[in-house]
Amino acid sequence: MPQGERPGRKNTARVNTAEGAWALWWRQVGPGIEAALDRMLPPSTEPPPSVHRAMRYSVFSGGKRIRPALAALGFSMGGGKGDGGYQLGAAIELIHTFSLIHDDLPCMDDDDFRRGRLSSHRKFGEAIAVLAGDALHVLAFDALAALPAPPERRLRVLREITRAVGTFGVIGGQVVDIESEGKQISPKRLLWMHERKTGALLRCSLTSGGILAGMRPAGIARLARFGSAFGLLFQIVDDLLDVLGSYRALGRRRGRDRVRGKATYPSILGLERTRQRLREAVEQSLAAIPADGGPGEILTDLIGVVVGRLPAEWLESSGARKAEERP
Ligand code: IPE
Ligand code: IPE
Ligand code: MG
Ligand code: MG
Ligand code: MG
């Protein structure tokens, strides 16, 4: 992220601004994804405007757009052509945004800020925030149902995403997250939770892209393997940022997980063992890179970009920067 950039700046994909293969990929697919999002969302003035304003507020508030860019990458790796990858990515970003609006609610993580701006319920009130989240969720499935692909392939994409979001995926993980507050859960349960609340949607961004493009099962399995490893890495970094991150990297003050008594990698394993776990997650993600050439470089760079959100001093003492040091 360039110096001086605010976390909440409108419609900026913060992680995507660094130079590198991931940034270049974003430059290639970002405009198509942003245009698809804009097309999918009703105008703010459309009745009832309160909910449409709230939907747009959260979708265009500086998210890193990692999931839609991964969906477009899976699509491209499968040989997909045309706008399908953008539409798929945009639909997944709507689901991600719904999950964040609900995640911030007082009955969930009770966060007043996201991406350096007021969270949806603080800006629009709790009822509209709940409804805006609901609306984004169903709008995503409306868009998925209209994907430009043969009906059978479209159905496979729908099932892949539905499973990743439901009680076997994001929602199941969120349930365990909430029910684990104030508890010392086992590392195994923590992994189970992270694989679902965060890993499932990241993984299915890649796999559904591949499915939409008609990729063969072996290719989809490779995408899934990388997606799982990367999903865990991503949430370990997210957990660490709450302890070590700057306001800019976090978009809100740190320490919220501790206040809520969240089960996180640092709270369950401590910082030193989390450092080791992060190193393993980086190694596992690098080992699972599903392709050589351009896509492999893009994913390798993404690992470095995500890990690079952590403070450099801490990283340098951990050796976790390895991904960034790769040629
Ligand atoms: C935040 O995801 C929620 C988690 C799953 C950890 P991101 O860090 O990808 O959120 P934005 O969209 O870029 O703000
Ligand atoms: C959120 O995890 C995961 C989902 C929204 C599904 P967190 O609660 O750790 O995400 P942040 O830290 O609020 O972004
Ligand atoms: Mg949460
Ligand atoms: Mg949260
Ligand atoms: Mg978090």
Side-chain angles (χ1 to χ4, degrees), residues 103-104 109 111 114 252:
D103 182 73
D104 290 337
D109 292 359
D111 273 312
R114 175 157 300 272
R252 62 170 177 250

Side-chain angles (χ1 to χ4, degrees), residues 103 109 174 177 262:
D103 182 73
D109 292 359
Q174 288 285 69
D177 176 287
K262 288 287 187 192

Side-chain angles (χ1 to χ4, degrees), residues 190-244:
L190 181 70
L191 174 64
W192 189 99
M193 176 177 101
H194 278 25
E195 281 173 344
R196 282 156 187 80
K197 77 168 192 175
T198 301
L201 197 61
L202 285 163
R203 186 181 60 239
C204 98
S205 300
L206 278 166
T207 55
S208 61
I211 292 169
L212 185 66
M215 193 183 255
R216 288 173 192 278
I220 309 279
R222 275 196 293 276
L223 291 180
R225 210 173 129 242
F226 173 81
S228 297
F230 176 71
L232 177 63
L233 160 77
F234 190 87
Q235 187 60 42
I236 293 176
V237 170
D238 182 88
D239 286 355
L240 280 166
L241 281 171
D242 194 72
V243 180
L244 305 165

